[in-house]
Amino acid sequence: EGEVQKLSEFESKLNDIVVKQGVSTDQFMQLVQENKSVSEDMRKNLQALIVREVISAVLKVDKDGDCVLDNSEIERLILRLQHLNGVEINDSVKLRRLLTTSKSLSGAVAIAKSLIIEDEESCGITTNVDQVREAMKR
C-alpha cells in the first residue's frame, strides 16, 4: 500500500511538471518513447563503431597479408583489442583459443560479427557502449 501511495504521489508530481511545461501527459509519453528510440539507435551506432574498430584491428595485424593469423599476429590482435575503447575481453583464454583454432582473418571477422548480433559470450569479448560514449566526450 505504501508503494501505491508513492506511485500516486510521483504521478501527481509528474503531471504537475508536464502541465507547467505546457504539454499533455500523452505528448510527454510520446516524447519519452521517441527519446528511448533515439537512444537505442545511438547505442546501435556506437556498437557498430566498436565492431568497425575490431575489424580494423584484425586487418592491421595481418602484416604479411596472407589472411592467416600466426601466433605473433594473434598476440598483437589481443593486445590491440585490450586497448580499444568499448572492447572488454572477458575471457582471453577463450578468445585466444578461437583465434588459434581458425587462424584466419575470416575467423577473426566472425568474432567481430558475433558482437553485431550480440552473441558476445561465445567469443570471450563484449562491447561497452558507455565507455565509447565517455571517450567521445573528452
Side-chain angles (χ1 to χ4, degrees):
E1 197 169 289
E3 291 296 318
V4 173
Q5 174 83 20
K6 287 180 185 177
L7 284 174
S8 181
E9 289 173 10
F10 178 76
E11 183 180 11
S12 176
K13 288 179 183 178
L14 182 60
N15 200 25
D16 290 345
I17 292 170
V18 169
V19 168
K20 286 179 184 175
Q21 295 296 321
V23 295
S24 71
T25 306
D26 290 337
Q27 288 172 318
F28 178 75
M29 292 307 294
Q30 185 178 357
L31 289 172
V32 168
Q33 289 300 325
E34 186 177 321
N35 184 48
K36 183 179 176 183
S37 176
V38 168
S39 293
E40 180 61 21
D41 287 346
M42 287 173 57
R43 187 193 69 76
K44 287 178 182 178
N45 287 336
L46 287 173
Q47 189 168 22
L49 175 70
I50 294 167
V51 170
R52 187 185 80 202
E53 291 299 316
V54 169
I55 291 173
S56 178
V58 168
L59 296 173
K60 285 179 183 174
V61 298
D62 185 28
K63 293 290 183 188
D64 54 13
D66 64 355
C67 295
V68 175
L69 298 176
D70 62 35
N71 289 338
S72 66
E73 290 171 332
I74 289 171
E75 292 306 315
R76 279 198 312 273
L77 177 57
I78 291 172
L79 276 172
R80 281 183 179 268
L81 294 177
Q82 288 172 333
H83 292 92
L84 278 180
N85 275 331
V87 174
E88 295 177 350
I89 298 181
N90 305 343
D91 189 342
S92 60
V93 173
K94 181 185 270 185
L95 177 59
R96 189 174 279 108
R97 184 174 52 241
L98 287 169
L99 291 169
T100 304
T101 301
S102 75
K103 288 205 175 227
S104 67
L105 288 183
S106 61
V109 170
I111 289 171
K113 183 179 175 184
S114 71
L115 294 173
I116 295 170
I117 59 173
E118 299 186 17
D119 184 21
E120 301 167 329
E121 294 304 312
S122 68
C123 63
I125 61 176
T126 56
T127 58
N128 184 337
V129 173
D130 293 331
Q131 187 182 49
V132 174
R133 221 179 258 140
E134 286 302 313
M136 293 176 93
K137 288 180 183 177
R138 290 184 228 145

PDB file of all heavy atoms in Angstrom, residues 59-95:
ATOM      1  N   LEU A  59      42.476  -6.509 -39.397  1.00  0.00           N
ATOM      2  CA  LEU A  59      43.161  -6.317 -40.676  1.00  0.00           C
ATOM      3  C   LEU A  59      44.572  -5.770 -40.493  1.00  0.00           C
ATOM      4  O   LEU A  59      45.482  -6.117 -41.251  1.00  0.00           O
ATOM      5  CB  LEU A  59      42.331  -5.393 -41.572  1.00  0.00           C
ATOM      6  CG  LEU A  59      40.969  -5.952 -41.988  1.00  0.00           C
ATOM      7  CD1 LEU A  59      40.171  -4.889 -42.734  1.00  0.00           C
ATOM      8  CD2 LEU A  59      41.113  -7.214 -42.816  1.00  0.00           C
ATOM      9  N   LYS A  60      44.778  -4.921 -39.497  1.00  0.00           N
ATOM     10  CA  LYS A  60      46.094  -4.322 -39.275  1.00  0.00           C
ATOM     11  C   LYS A  60      47.136  -5.322 -38.784  1.00  0.00           C
ATOM     12  O   LYS A  60      48.318  -5.153 -39.061  1.00  0.00           O
ATOM     13  CB  LYS A  60      45.988  -3.171 -38.274  1.00  0.00           C
ATOM     14  CG  LYS A  60      45.379  -1.925 -38.858  1.00  0.00           C
ATOM     15  CD  LYS A  60      45.264  -0.828 -37.816  1.00  0.00           C
ATOM     16  CE  LYS A  60      44.570   0.385 -38.412  1.00  0.00           C
ATOM     17  NZ  LYS A  60      44.311   1.408 -37.394  1.00  0.00           N
ATOM     18  N   VAL A  61      46.728  -6.338 -38.053  1.00  0.00           N
ATOM     19  CA  VAL A  61      47.721  -7.261 -37.501  1.00  0.00           C
ATOM     20  C   VAL A  61      48.248  -8.252 -38.532  1.00  0.00           C
ATOM     21  O   VAL A  61      49.302  -8.842 -38.337  1.00  0.00           O
ATOM     22  CB  VAL A  61      47.206  -8.040 -36.264  1.00  0.00           C
ATOM     23  CG1 VAL A  61      46.865  -7.104 -35.135  1.00  0.00           C
ATOM     24  CG2 VAL A  61      46.072  -8.964 -36.603  1.00  0.00           C
ATOM     25  N   ASP A  62      47.542  -8.432 -39.629  1.00  0.00           N
ATOM     26  CA  ASP A  62      47.995  -9.360 -40.672  1.00  0.00           C
ATOM     27  C   ASP A  62      49.045  -8.669 -41.530  1.00  0.00           C
ATOM     28  O   ASP A  62      48.809  -8.303 -42.674  1.00  0.00           O
ATOM     29  CB  ASP A  62      46.806  -9.842 -41.508  1.00  0.00           C
ATOM     30  CG  ASP A  62      47.200 -10.900 -42.512  1.00  0.00           C
ATOM     31  OD1 ASP A  62      48.188 -11.634 -42.258  1.00  0.00           O
ATOM     32  OD2 ASP A  62      46.546 -10.994 -43.567  1.00  0.00           O
ATOM     33  N   LYS A  63      50.235  -8.488 -40.966  1.00  0.00           N
ATOM     34  CA  LYS A  63      51.300  -7.720 -41.611  1.00  0.00           C
ATOM     35  C   LYS A  63      51.759  -8.333 -42.930  1.00  0.00           C
ATOM     36  O   LYS A  63      52.073  -7.629 -43.868  1.00  0.00           O
ATOM     37  CB  LYS A  63      52.511  -7.583 -40.673  1.00  0.00           C
ATOM     38  CG  LYS A  63      52.239  -6.749 -39.449  1.00  0.00           C
ATOM     39  CD  LYS A  63      52.065  -5.300 -39.818  1.00  0.00           C
ATOM     40  CE  LYS A  63      51.868  -4.446 -38.594  1.00  0.00           C
ATOM     41  NZ  LYS A  63      51.520  -3.100 -38.874  1.00  0.00           N
ATOM     42  N   ASP A  64      51.805  -9.657 -42.999  1.00  0.00           N
ATOM     43  CA  ASP A  64      52.299 -10.293 -44.222  1.00  0.00           C
ATOM     44  C   ASP A  64      51.218 -10.445 -45.289  1.00  0.00           C
ATOM     45  O   ASP A  64      51.486 -10.871 -46.409  1.00  0.00           O
ATOM     46  CB  ASP A  64      52.952 -11.644 -43.929  1.00  0.00           C
ATOM     47  CG  ASP A  64      52.054 -12.594 -43.152  1.00  0.00           C
ATOM     48  OD1 ASP A  64      50.845 -12.332 -43.034  1.00  0.00           O
ATOM     49  OD2 ASP A  64      52.584 -13.614 -42.654  1.00  0.00           O
ATOM     50  N   GLY A  65      49.973 -10.115 -44.952  1.00  0.00           N
ATOM     51  CA  GLY A  65      48.895 -10.112 -45.923  1.00  0.00           C
ATOM     52  C   GLY A  65      48.467 -11.473 -46.431  1.00  0.00           C
ATOM     53  O   GLY A  65      47.822 -11.577 -47.468  1.00  0.00           O
ATOM     54  N   ASP A  66      48.779 -12.523 -45.679  1.00  0.00           N
ATOM     55  CA  ASP A  66      48.436 -13.874 -46.149  1.00  0.00           C
ATOM     56  C   ASP A  66      47.049 -14.331 -45.688  1.00  0.00           C
ATOM     57  O   ASP A  66      46.630 -15.443 -45.972  1.00  0.00           O
ATOM     58  CB  ASP A  66      49.488 -14.891 -45.710  1.00  0.00           C
ATOM     59  CG  ASP A  66      49.581 -15.047 -44.200  1.00  0.00           C
ATOM     60  OD1 ASP A  66      48.889 -14.301 -43.471  1.00  0.00           O
ATOM     61  OD2 ASP A  66      50.348 -15.919 -43.739  1.00  0.00           O
ATOM     62  N   CYS A  67      46.327 -13.477 -44.978  1.00  0.00           N
ATOM     63  CA  CYS A  67      44.975 -13.763 -44.469  1.00  0.00           C
ATOM     64  C   CYS A  67      44.960 -14.922 -43.478  1.00  0.00           C
ATOM     65  O   CYS A  67      43.923 -15.551 -43.251  1.00  0.00           O
ATOM     66  CB  CYS A  67      43.990 -14.032 -45.608  1.00  0.00           C
ATOM     67  SG  CYS A  67      43.718 -12.579 -46.642  1.00  0.00           S
ATOM     68  N   VAL A  68      46.113 -15.211 -42.923  1.00  0.00           N
ATOM     69  CA  VAL A  68      46.231 -16.232 -41.881  1.00  0.00           C
ATOM     70  C   VAL A  68      46.933 -15.576 -40.698  1.00  0.00           C
ATOM     71  O   VAL A  68      47.955 -14.912 -40.862  1.00  0.00           O
ATOM     72  CB  VAL A  68      47.050 -17.456 -42.371  1.00  0.00           C
ATOM     73  CG1 VAL A  68      47.260 -18.459 -41.244  1.00  0.00           C
ATOM     74  CG2 VAL A  68      46.363 -18.112 -43.562  1.00  0.00           C
ATOM     75  N   LEU A  69      46.365 -15.752 -39.524  1.00  0.00           N
ATOM     76  CA  LEU A  69      46.958 -15.162 -38.323  1.00  0.00           C
ATOM     77  C   LEU A  69      47.905 -16.164 -37.675  1.00  0.00           C
ATOM     78  O   LEU A  69      47.477 -17.215 -37.207  1.00  0.00           O
ATOM     79  CB  LEU A  69      45.856 -14.762 -37.336  1.00  0.00           C
ATOM     80  CG  LEU A  69      44.869 -13.703 -37.821  1.00  0.00           C
ATOM     81  CD1 LEU A  69      43.777 -13.481 -36.780  1.00  0.00           C
ATOM     82  CD2 LEU A  69      45.583 -12.405 -38.117  1.00  0.00           C
ATOM     83  N   ASP A  70      49.193 -15.817 -37.663  1.00  0.00           N
ATOM     84  CA  ASP A  70      50.136 -16.685 -36.942  1.00  0.00           C
ATOM     85  C   ASP A  70      50.095 -16.310 -35.466  1.00  0.00           C
ATOM     86  O   ASP A  70      49.400 -15.375 -35.060  1.00  0.00           O
ATOM     87  CB  ASP A  70      51.546 -16.603 -37.536  1.00  0.00           C
ATOM     88  CG  ASP A  70      52.154 -15.211 -37.455  1.00  0.00           C
ATOM     89  OD1 ASP A  70      51.902 -14.502 -36.464  1.00  0.00           O
ATOM     90  OD2 ASP A  70      52.878 -14.833 -38.392  1.00  0.00           O
ATOM     91  N   ASN A  71      50.820 -17.037 -34.657  1.00  0.00           N
ATOM     92  CA  ASN A  71      50.742 -16.821 -33.198  1.00  0.00           C
ATOM     93  C   ASN A  71      51.118 -15.400 -32.784  1.00  0.00           C
ATOM     94  O   ASN A  71      50.484 -14.820 -31.904  1.00  0.00           O
ATOM     95  CB  ASN A  71      51.609 -17.847 -32.465  1.00  0.00           C
ATOM     96  CG  ASN A  71      51.011 -19.234 -32.533  1.00  0.00           C
ATOM     97  OD1 ASN A  71      49.806 -19.384 -32.748  1.00  0.00           O
ATOM     98  ND2 ASN A  71      51.826 -20.254 -32.377  1.00  0.00           N
ATOM     99  N   SER A  72      52.133 -14.822 -33.408  1.00  0.00           N
ATOM    100  CA  SER A  72      52.525 -13.453 -33.023  1.00  0.00           C
ATOM    101  C   SER A  72      51.440 -12.451 -33.446  1.00  0.00           C
ATOM    102  O   SER A  72      51.184 -11.473 -32.734  1.00  0.00           O
ATOM    103  CB  SER A  72      53.886 -13.089 -33.616  1.00  0.00           C
ATOM    104  OG  SER A  72      53.820 -13.015 -35.025  1.00  0.00           O
ATOM    105  N   GLU A  73      50.809 -12.682 -34.584  1.00  0.00           N
ATOM    106  CA  GLU A  73      49.728 -11.792 -35.019  1.00  0.00           C
ATOM    107  C   GLU A  73      48.517 -11.915 -34.093  1.00  0.00           C
ATOM    108  O   GLU A  73      47.854 -10.920 -33.797  1.00  0.00           O
ATOM    109  CB  GLU A  73      49.337 -12.107 -36.470  1.00  0.00           C
ATOM    110  CG  GLU A  73      50.412 -11.695 -37.475  1.00  0.00           C
ATOM    111  CD  GLU A  73      50.161 -12.194 -38.882  1.00  0.00           C
ATOM    112  OE1 GLU A  73      49.502 -13.246 -39.059  1.00  0.00           O
ATOM    113  OE2 GLU A  73      50.633 -11.522 -39.822  1.00  0.00           O
ATOM    114  N   ILE A  74      48.247 -13.121 -33.629  1.00  0.00           N
ATOM    115  CA  ILE A  74      47.145 -13.326 -32.674  1.00  0.00           C
ATOM    116  C   ILE A  74      47.422 -12.570 -31.385  1.00  0.00           C
ATOM    117  O   ILE A  74      46.544 -11.889 -30.848  1.00  0.00           O
ATOM    118  CB  ILE A  74      46.915 -14.825 -32.419  1.00  0.00           C
ATOM    119  CG1 ILE A  74      46.307 -15.479 -33.673  1.00  0.00           C
ATOM    120  CG2 ILE A  74      46.026 -15.055 -31.192  1.00  0.00           C
ATOM    121  CD1 ILE A  74      46.225 -16.990 -33.619  1.00  0.00           C
ATOM    122  N   GLU A  75      48.660 -12.652 -30.903  1.00  0.00           N
ATOM    123  CA  GLU A  75      49.015 -11.937 -29.667  1.00  0.00           C
ATOM    124  C   GLU A  75      48.902 -10.430 -29.866  1.00  0.00           C
ATOM    125  O   GLU A  75      48.409  -9.716 -28.989  1.00  0.00           O
ATOM    126  CB  GLU A  75      50.424 -12.324 -29.198  1.00  0.00           C
ATOM    127  CG  GLU A  75      50.531 -13.764 -28.718  1.00  0.00           C
ATOM    128  CD  GLU A  75      49.517 -14.122 -27.641  1.00  0.00           C
ATOM    129  OE1 GLU A  75      49.336 -13.324 -26.686  1.00  0.00           O
ATOM    130  OE2 GLU A  75      48.898 -15.199 -27.752  1.00  0.00           O
ATOM    131  N   ARG A  76      49.333  -9.933 -31.033  1.00  0.00           N
ATOM    132  CA  ARG A  76      49.204  -8.496 -31.316  1.00  0.00           C
ATOM    133  C   ARG A  76      47.738  -8.087 -31.397  1.00  0.00           C
ATOM    134  O   ARG A  76      47.358  -7.014 -30.928  1.00  0.00           O
ATOM    135  CB  ARG A  76      49.940  -8.134 -32.613  1.00  0.00           C
ATOM    136  CG  ARG A  76      51.430  -7.959 -32.427  1.00  0.00           C
ATOM    137  CD  ARG A  76      52.086  -7.185 -33.565  1.00  0.00           C
ATOM    138  NE  ARG A  76      51.731  -7.628 -34.897  1.00  0.00           N
ATOM    139  CZ  ARG A  76      52.356  -8.604 -35.580  1.00  0.00           C
ATOM    140  NH1 ARG A  76      53.383  -9.222 -35.044  1.00  0.00           N
ATOM    141  NH2 ARG A  76      51.966  -8.907 -36.799  1.00  0.00           N
ATOM    142  N   LEU A  77      46.918  -8.949 -31.994  1.00  0.00           N
ATOM    143  CA  LEU A  77      45.487  -8.645 -32.089  1.00  0.00           C
ATOM    144  C   LEU A  77      44.869  -8.560 -30.697  1.00  0.00           C
ATOM    145  O   LEU A  77      44.117  -7.619 -30.404  1.00  0.00           O
ATOM    146  CB  LEU A  77      44.765  -9.710 -32.923  1.00  0.00           C
ATOM    147  CG  LEU A  77      43.249  -9.545 -33.024  1.00  0.00           C
ATOM    148  CD1 LEU A  77      42.872  -8.184 -33.602  1.00  0.00           C
ATOM    149  CD2 LEU A  77      42.645 -10.667 -33.846  1.00  0.00           C
ATOM    150  N   ILE A  78      45.181  -9.499 -29.852  1.00  0.00           N
ATOM    151  CA  ILE A  78      44.632  -9.474 -28.488  1.00  0.00           C
ATOM    152  C   ILE A  78      45.083  -8.208 -27.761  1.00  0.00           C
ATOM    153  O   ILE A  78      44.278  -7.553 -27.081  1.00  0.00           O
ATOM    154  CB  ILE A  78      44.998 -10.761 -27.724  1.00  0.00           C
ATOM    155  CG1 ILE A  78      44.233 -11.946 -28.346  1.00  0.00           C
ATOM    156  CG2 ILE A  78      44.689 -10.629 -26.234  1.00  0.00           C
ATOM    157  CD1 ILE A  78      44.641 -13.305 -27.830  1.00  0.00           C
ATOM    158  N   LEU A  79      46.341  -7.830 -27.937  1.00  0.00           N
ATOM    159  CA  LEU A  79      46.826  -6.580 -27.330  1.00  0.00           C
ATOM    160  C   LEU A  79      46.064  -5.371 -27.866  1.00  0.00           C
ATOM    161  O   LEU A  79      45.673  -4.484 -27.105  1.00  0.00           O
ATOM    162  CB  LEU A  79      48.319  -6.396 -27.602  1.00  0.00           C
ATOM    163  CG  LEU A  79      49.263  -7.094 -26.646  1.00  0.00           C
ATOM    164  CD1 LEU A  79      50.697  -7.004 -27.140  1.00  0.00           C
ATOM    165  CD2 LEU A  79      49.140  -6.492 -25.254  1.00  0.00           C
ATOM    166  N   ARG A  80      45.861  -5.327 -29.177  1.00  0.00           N
ATOM    167  CA  ARG A  80      45.107  -4.215 -29.767  1.00  0.00           C
ATOM    168  C   ARG A  80      43.690  -4.161 -29.203  1.00  0.00           C
ATOM    169  O   ARG A  80      43.184  -3.094 -28.882  1.00  0.00           O
ATOM    170  CB  ARG A  80      45.045  -4.345 -31.285  1.00  0.00           C
ATOM    171  CG  ARG A  80      46.284  -3.917 -32.000  1.00  0.00           C
ATOM    172  CD  ARG A  80      46.062  -4.031 -33.517  1.00  0.00           C
ATOM    173  NE  ARG A  80      47.232  -3.609 -34.242  1.00  0.00           N
ATOM    174  CZ  ARG A  80      47.446  -2.365 -34.668  1.00  0.00           C
ATOM    175  NH1 ARG A  80      46.547  -1.434 -34.432  1.00  0.00           N
ATOM    176  NH2 ARG A  80      48.529  -2.053 -35.318  1.00  0.00           N
ATOM    177  N   LEU A  81      43.066  -5.327 -29.120  1.00  0.00           N
ATOM    178  CA  LEU A  81      41.688  -5.381 -28.619  1.00  0.00           C
ATOM    179  C   LEU A  81      41.615  -4.918 -27.167  1.00  0.00           C
ATOM    180  O   LEU A  81      40.657  -4.266 -26.766  1.00  0.00           O
ATOM    181  CB  LEU A  81      41.115  -6.793 -28.759  1.00  0.00           C
ATOM    182  CG  LEU A  81      40.909  -7.292 -30.195  1.00  0.00           C
ATOM    183  CD1 LEU A  81      40.399  -8.733 -30.187  1.00  0.00           C
ATOM    184  CD2 LEU A  81      39.969  -6.387 -30.974  1.00  0.00           C
ATOM    185  N   GLN A  82      42.627  -5.267 -26.384  1.00  0.00           N
ATOM    186  CA  GLN A  82      42.632  -4.858 -24.975  1.00  0.00           C
ATOM    187  C   GLN A  82      42.696  -3.337 -24.827  1.00  0.00           C
ATOM    188  O   GLN A  82      42.279  -2.801 -23.810  1.00  0.00           O
ATOM    189  CB  GLN A  82      43.819  -5.492 -24.239  1.00  0.00           C
ATOM    190  CG  GLN A  82      43.652  -6.963 -24.013  1.00  0.00           C
ATOM    191  CD  GLN A  82      44.912  -7.609 -23.455  1.00  0.00           C
ATOM    192  OE1 GLN A  82      46.025  -7.137 -23.674  1.00  0.00           O
ATOM    193  NE2 GLN A  82      44.733  -8.709 -22.743  1.00  0.00           N
ATOM    194  N   HIS A  83      43.204  -2.652 -25.845  1.00  0.00           N
ATOM    195  CA  HIS A  83      43.363  -1.203 -25.754  1.00  0.00           C
ATOM    196  C   HIS A  83      42.327  -0.431 -26.567  1.00  0.00           C
ATOM    197  O   HIS A  83      42.420   0.795 -26.675  1.00  0.00           O
ATOM    198  CB  HIS A  83      44.782  -0.804 -26.171  1.00  0.00           C
ATOM    199  CG  HIS A  83      45.804  -1.284 -25.185  1.00  0.00           C
ATOM    200  ND1 HIS A  83      46.453  -2.489 -25.310  1.00  0.00           N
ATOM    201  CD2 HIS A  83      46.242  -0.741 -24.038  1.00  0.00           C
ATOM    202  CE1 HIS A  83      47.262  -2.657 -24.292  1.00  0.00           C
ATOM    203  NE2 HIS A  83      47.155  -1.607 -23.490  1.00  0.00           N
ATOM    204  N   LEU A  84      41.361  -1.125 -27.123  1.00  0.00           N
ATOM    205  CA  LEU A  84      40.307  -0.441 -27.868  1.00  0.00           C
ATOM    206  C   LEU A  84      39.220   0.047 -26.917  1.00  0.00           C
ATOM    207  O   LEU A  84      38.763  -0.707 -26.057  1.00  0.00           O
ATOM    208  CB  LEU A  84      39.660  -1.390 -28.888  1.00  0.00           C
ATOM    209  CG  LEU A  84      40.362  -1.600 -30.209  1.00  0.00           C
ATOM    210  CD1 LEU A  84      39.568  -2.575 -31.069  1.00  0.00           C
ATOM    211  CD2 LEU A  84      40.549  -0.303 -30.955  1.00  0.00           C
ATOM    212  N   ASN A  85      38.816   1.304 -27.076  1.00  0.00           N
ATOM    213  CA  ASN A  85      37.681   1.805 -26.304  1.00  0.00           C
ATOM    214  C   ASN A  85      36.444   1.011 -26.676  1.00  0.00           C
ATOM    215  O   ASN A  85      36.155   0.819 -27.858  1.00  0.00           O
ATOM    216  CB  ASN A  85      37.418   3.285 -26.606  1.00  0.00           C
ATOM    217  CG  ASN A  85      38.271   4.195 -25.778  1.00  0.00           C
ATOM    218  OD1 ASN A  85      38.649   3.850 -24.665  1.00  0.00           O
ATOM    219  ND2 ASN A  85      38.579   5.355 -26.307  1.00  0.00           N
ATOM    220  N   GLY A  86      35.721   0.566 -25.676  1.00  0.00           N
ATOM    221  CA  GLY A  86      34.468  -0.140 -25.918  1.00  0.00           C
ATOM    222  C   GLY A  86      34.598  -1.636 -26.027  1.00  0.00           C
ATOM    223  O   GLY A  86      33.612  -2.331 -26.196  1.00  0.00           O
ATOM    224  N   VAL A  87      35.827  -2.157 -25.954  1.00  0.00           N
ATOM    225  CA  VAL A  87      36.023  -3.605 -26.022  1.00  0.00           C
ATOM    226  C   VAL A  87      36.489  -4.088 -24.662  1.00  0.00           C
ATOM    227  O   VAL A  87      37.442  -3.561 -24.094  1.00  0.00           O
ATOM    228  CB  VAL A  87      37.065  -3.991 -27.097  1.00  0.00           C
ATOM    229  CG1 VAL A  87      37.375  -5.476 -27.056  1.00  0.00           C
ATOM    230  CG2 VAL A  87      36.567  -3.594 -28.473  1.00  0.00           C
ATOM    231  N   GLU A  88      35.783  -5.068 -24.150  1.00  0.00           N
ATOM    232  CA  GLU A  88      36.181  -5.685 -22.892  1.00  0.00           C
ATOM    233  C   GLU A  88      36.412  -7.168 -23.146  1.00  0.00           C
ATOM    234  O   GLU A  88      35.526  -7.852 -23.659  1.00  0.00           O
ATOM    235  CB  GLU A  88      35.098  -5.494 -21.840  1.00  0.00           C
ATOM    236  CG  GLU A  88      34.889  -4.044 -21.469  1.00  0.00           C
ATOM    237  CD  GLU A  88      33.766  -3.829 -20.479  1.00  0.00           C
ATOM    238  OE1 GLU A  88      33.007  -4.782 -20.202  1.00  0.00           O
ATOM    239  OE2 GLU A  88      33.638  -2.702 -19.996  1.00  0.00           O
ATOM    240  N   ILE A  89      37.599  -7.629 -22.824  1.00  0.00           N
ATOM    241  CA  ILE A  89      37.902  -9.049 -23.005  1.00  0.00           C
ATOM    242  C   ILE A  89      37.545  -9.752 -21.700  1.00  0.00           C
ATOM    243  O   ILE A  89      38.192  -9.558 -20.681  1.00  0.00           O
ATOM    244  CB  ILE A  89      39.371  -9.262 -23.394  1.00  0.00           C
ATOM    245  CG1 ILE A  89      39.632  -8.568 -24.732  1.00  0.00           C
ATOM    246  CG2 ILE A  89      39.696 -10.744 -23.464  1.00  0.00           C
ATOM    247  CD1 ILE A  89      41.021  -8.706 -25.254  1.00  0.00           C
ATOM    248  N   ASN A  90      36.499 -10.553 -21.765  1.00  0.00           N
ATOM    249  CA  ASN A  90      36.018 -11.263 -20.581  1.00  0.00           C
ATOM    250  C   ASN A  90      36.780 -12.568 -20.370  1.00  0.00           C
ATOM    251  O   ASN A  90      36.932 -13.017 -19.243  1.00  0.00           O
ATOM    252  CB  ASN A  90      34.535 -11.619 -20.718  1.00  0.00           C
ATOM    253  CG  ASN A  90      33.678 -10.414 -20.997  1.00  0.00           C
ATOM    254  OD1 ASN A  90      34.099  -9.292 -20.802  1.00  0.00           O
ATOM    255  ND2 ASN A  90      32.487 -10.653 -21.478  1.00  0.00           N
ATOM    256  N   ASP A  91      37.175 -13.182 -21.459  1.00  0.00           N
ATOM    257  CA  ASP A  91      37.792 -14.498 -21.391  1.00  0.00           C
ATOM    258  C   ASP A  91      38.891 -14.575 -22.446  1.00  0.00           C
ATOM    259  O   ASP A  91      38.663 -15.003 -23.570  1.00  0.00           O
ATOM    260  CB  ASP A  91      36.716 -15.572 -21.625  1.00  0.00           C
ATOM    261  CG  ASP A  91      37.208 -16.980 -21.354  1.00  0.00           C
ATOM    262  OD1 ASP A  91      38.438 -17.175 -21.322  1.00  0.00           O
ATOM    263  OD2 ASP A  91      36.365 -17.871 -21.189  1.00  0.00           O
ATOM    264  N   SER A  92      40.093 -14.121 -22.070  1.00  0.00           N
ATOM    265  CA  SER A  92      41.190 -14.086 -23.039  1.00  0.00           C
ATOM    266  C   SER A  92      41.587 -15.484 -23.492  1.00  0.00           C
ATOM    267  O   SER A  92      42.032 -15.672 -24.620  1.00  0.00           O
ATOM    268  CB  SER A  92      42.388 -13.331 -22.482  1.00  0.00           C
ATOM    269  OG  SER A  92      42.856 -13.947 -21.309  1.00  0.00           O
ATOM    270  N   VAL A  93      41.412 -16.467 -22.608  1.00  0.00           N
ATOM    271  CA  VAL A  93      41.732 -17.849 -22.980  1.00  0.00           C
ATOM    272  C   VAL A  93      40.805 -18.322 -24.095  1.00  0.00           C
ATOM    273  O   VAL A  93      41.249 -18.890 -25.099  1.00  0.00           O
ATOM    274  CB  VAL A  93      41.635 -18.787 -21.747  1.00  0.00           C
ATOM    275  CG1 VAL A  93      41.804 -20.241 -22.151  1.00  0.00           C
ATOM    276  CG2 VAL A  93      42.646 -18.382 -20.698  1.00  0.00           C
ATOM    277  N   LYS A  94      39.508 -18.054 -23.940  1.00  0.00           N
ATOM    278  CA  LYS A  94      38.533 -18.446 -24.965  1.00  0.00           C
ATOM    279  C   LYS A  94      38.809 -17.699 -26.272  1.00  0.00           C
ATOM    280  O   LYS A  94      38.805 -18.304 -27.347  1.00  0.00           O
ATOM    281  CB  LYS A  94      37.115 -18.142 -24.492  1.00  0.00           C
ATOM    282  CG  LYS A  94      36.037 -18.536 -25.493  1.00  0.00           C
ATOM    283  CD  LYS A  94      34.660 -18.095 -25.034  1.00  0.00           C
ATOM    284  CE  LYS A  94      34.004 -19.153 -24.208  1.00  0.00           C
ATOM    285  NZ  LYS A  94      32.621 -18.836 -23.839  1.00  0.00           N
ATOM    286  N   LEU A  95      39.079 -16.408 -26.181  1.00  0.00           N
ATOM    287  CA  LEU A  95      39.358 -15.613 -27.374  1.00  0.00           C
ATOM    288  C   LEU A  95      40.604 -16.143 -28.082  1.00  0.00           C
ATOM    289  O   LEU A  95      40.600 -16.350 -29.296  1.00  0.00           O
ATOM    290  CB  LEU A  95      39.539 -14.145 -27.000  1.00  0.00           C
ATOM    291  CG  LEU A  95      39.912 -13.194 -28.130  1.00  0.00           C
ATOM    292  CD1 LEU A  95      38.850 -13.214 -29.232  1.00  0.00           C
ATOM    293  CD2 LEU A  95      40.121 -11.793 -27.598  1.00  0.00           C
TER     294      LEU A  95
END
